[in-house]
Amino acid sequence: QVQLVESGGGLVQAGGSLKLSCAASGRSFSRYTVGWFRQAPGKEREIVAAIASSGDSTYYADSVKGRFTISRDNAKNTVYLQMNSLKPEDTAVYYCAARESWKVRYDYWGQGTQVTVSS
């Protein structure tokens, strides 16, 4: 079992930055691939970024490439999402999720943190 808690959301002007954190509790966090997802009102949830268990491989959605950076500190059981050059269309609830590296489906989800980007 893994419990995930997101933090760091808030209100920011377009062009600004935020850093989200996803703190995990439970054993063997370093075994898990972690993804950041977001869901805007009226839209489906989409994956934003993901990072492999060892941190040596990452994935980014085209919409955030070059602006967002995912990283992890397994010693602190924490995954981060640095978001720069934010746009109003980045406004959403952001969730972190975890899955064991050999699985496809994300089994563990946080409660989400709101990110609002004003124009």
Side-chain angles (χ1 to χ4, degrees), residues 3-84:
Q3 292 80 44
L4 303 172
V5 179
E6 304 95 335
S7 61
L11 173 64
V12 64
Q13 288 189 334
S17 298
L18 282 174
K19 186 173 185 177
L20 305 183
S21 298
C22 173
S25 60
R27 297 187 299 177
S28 304
F29 176 67
S30 60
R31 292 195 343 232
Y32 292 84
T33 293
V34 176
W36 282 98
F37 294 76
R38 69 185 180 187
Q39 188 165 22
K43 294 188 176 181
E44 292 189 355
R45 185 172 61 197
E46 62 175 350
I47 188 166
V48 173
I51 188 165
S53 56
S54 61
D56 60 354
S57 178
T58 56
Y59 162 85
Y60 295 95
D62 287 344
S63 58
V64 306
K65 277 181 184 176
R67 300 188 299 122
F68 290 11
T69 302
I70 190 170
S71 62
R72 68 190 297 162
D73 184 340
N74 284 339
K76 295 183 178 180
N77 280 5
T78 303
V79 172
Y80 306 96
L81 186 68
Q82 177 68 47
M83 306 186 295
N84 298 329

